[in-house]
Amino acid sequence: MFRYTNSVLFQFQHPMRLLCLPKSFSFHFQKVSKNQRIMAQSSGSNNGKKLIRIDVTSDSVCPWCFVGKRNLDKAIAQSKDQFDFEIKWHPYFLDPSAPKEGVNKKEYYEKKFGSRAHGILARMTEIFRDLGLDYDMSGLTGSTLDSHRLIYFAGKQGLDKQHALVEEIYLGYFTRGKFVGDREFLLESAEKVGVEGAAEFLENPNTGVKEVNEELEKYSANISGVPHYVINEKHQLSGGQPPEVFLRAFQVAEK
């Protein structure tokens, strides 16, 4: 499925796209320049395990981001005896002009992808089925700003809560026809994972917007598609990759 070379390049020979709106098919797993590095709080943990820090840039309506998250979670579960993990999620807007009020999801994608829409839907349905999920194209799609505001807010209460909230939002949007801009759905998701004060936070439409924009500038300015991962400040990995790619990335990043 992949090959690893001395130049730290992963090249995939597979007909499916791994990124939402990628510029090219191949990608690099590369070192991050000094001025791009993300501030780290520690390089290890109290139990002697090495710490793997992962900064994930994604959008709430990106199917490959959900695929990547599920595969990342599998890789983490297989590596928990060797590493501790700290995962932080950052925003990306696949369509910054998406309407806040929402539009029919299926019609939106048919307009966006034209004659390719049916094939893309069939392929994503198959991929989700392999993950044990039903890909649901019902409901609305639109602006993801409020979801990113809430994800940021959850992160202030704990990265575990943030990670769990991302999962709930993906499940709702991709498997239950929920709209990421629906306040009730977002609050239900927040309640499920124990995020407190979500209603008050989202009530003011300006709360958290500054922070989301700052993260966009910091983490998304130099990427062309999502999901995108920065591992231990040193390496970048893009796409909804299978678990074995993440496992190899963990081994490389700890060196």
Side-chain angles (χ1 to χ4, degrees):
M1 184 69 180
F2 68 93
R3 61 182 175 86
Y4 176 70
T5 71
N6 292 332
S7 62
V8 204
L9 168 68
F10 286 97
Q11 176 74 42
F12 288 78
Q13 305 298 329
H14 201 291
M16 66 182 183
R17 285 183 173 179
L18 303 173
L19 286 164
C20 291
L21 297 184
K23 283 189 176 180
S24 60
F25 172 66
S26 63
F27 65 88
H28 293 271
F29 177 57
Q30 60 191 31
K31 288 186 176 180
V32 179
S33 63
K34 184 177 181 180
N35 62 355
Q36 290 178 302
R37 288 190 174 182
I38 303 158
M39 185 179 297
Q41 296 177 346
S42 64
S43 59
S45 58
N46 294 331
N47 58 16
K49 298 179 186 177
K50 291 194 174 182
L51 177 65
I52 299 292
R53 293 171 54 90
I54 307 174
D55 285 87
V56 188
T57 302
S58 70
D59 199 2
S60 305
V61 294
C62 165
W64 283 115
C65 295
F66 191 18
V67 172
K69 181 190 179 299
R70 280 299 182 95
N71 289 337
L72 174 62
D73 287 343
K74 290 180 182 178
I76 288 173
Q78 294 177 42
S79 306
K80 62 183 179 181
D81 292 336
Q82 185 177 3
F83 304 111
D84 283 331
F85 293 89
E86 183 177 292
I87 305 168
K88 189 172 183 180
W89 292 81
H90 306 288
Y92 188 89
F93 292 107
L94 289 169
D95 185 358
S97 64
K100 184 175 177 62
E101 64 274 13
V103 294
N104 182 278
K105 187 190 300 185
K106 189 173 182 179
E107 292 177 0
Y108 174 86
Y109 287 112
E110 287 175 347
K111 181 178 180 180
K112 180 176 181 178
F113 295 110
S115 60
R116 296 184 295 137
H118 179 74
I120 292 173
L121 172 59
R123 183 61 181 138
M124 291 312 304
T125 299
E126 178 184 348
I127 292 168
F128 271 62
R129 186 181 298 117
D130 289 342
L131 294 174
L133 301 168
D134 293 324
Y135 190 60
D136 187 346
M137 282 292 290
S138 65
L140 303 177
T141 191
S143 173
T144 57
L145 175 59
D146 283 352
S147 70
H148 288 307
R149 291 171 57 214
L150 186 59
I151 290 168
Y152 159 77
F153 182 64
K156 303 298 287 184
Q157 298 185 22
L159 297 184
D160 287 346
K161 286 186 179 182
Q162 185 185 61
H163 193 71
L165 177 64
V166 170
E167 174 77 10
E168 285 298 325
I169 292 173
Y170 280 146
L171 278 173
Y173 180 76
F174 288 113
T175 71
R176 301 199 302 268
K178 300 293 185 178
F179 172 40
V180 292
D182 179 60
R183 184 68 53 85
E184 183 177 347
F185 163 60
L186 291 176
L187 293 180
E188 287 175 355
S189 299
E191 183 178 4
K192 283 183 180 180
V193 302
V195 174
E196 299 177 353
E200 293 80 2
F201 180 81
L202 290 178
E203 184 65 29
N204 184 339
N206 296 316
T207 306
V209 173
K210 176 184 176 182
E211 290 80 2
V212 167
N213 286 331
E214 288 174 348
E215 291 215 338
L216 281 170
E217 183 176 352
K218 183 175 182 179
Y219 295 98
S220 301
N222 297 313
I223 64 175
S224 59
V226 285
H228 184 82
Y229 312 86
V230 177
I231 303 176
N232 271 8
E233 305 180 305
K234 298 182 292 185
H235 303 284
Q236 298 182 51
L237 179 66
S238 297
Q241 304 301 336
E244 58 265 26
V245 173
F246 289 111
L247 290 171
R248 178 56 181 156
F250 300 159
Q251 298 298 325
V252 173
E254 74 158 325
K255 296 179 180 178

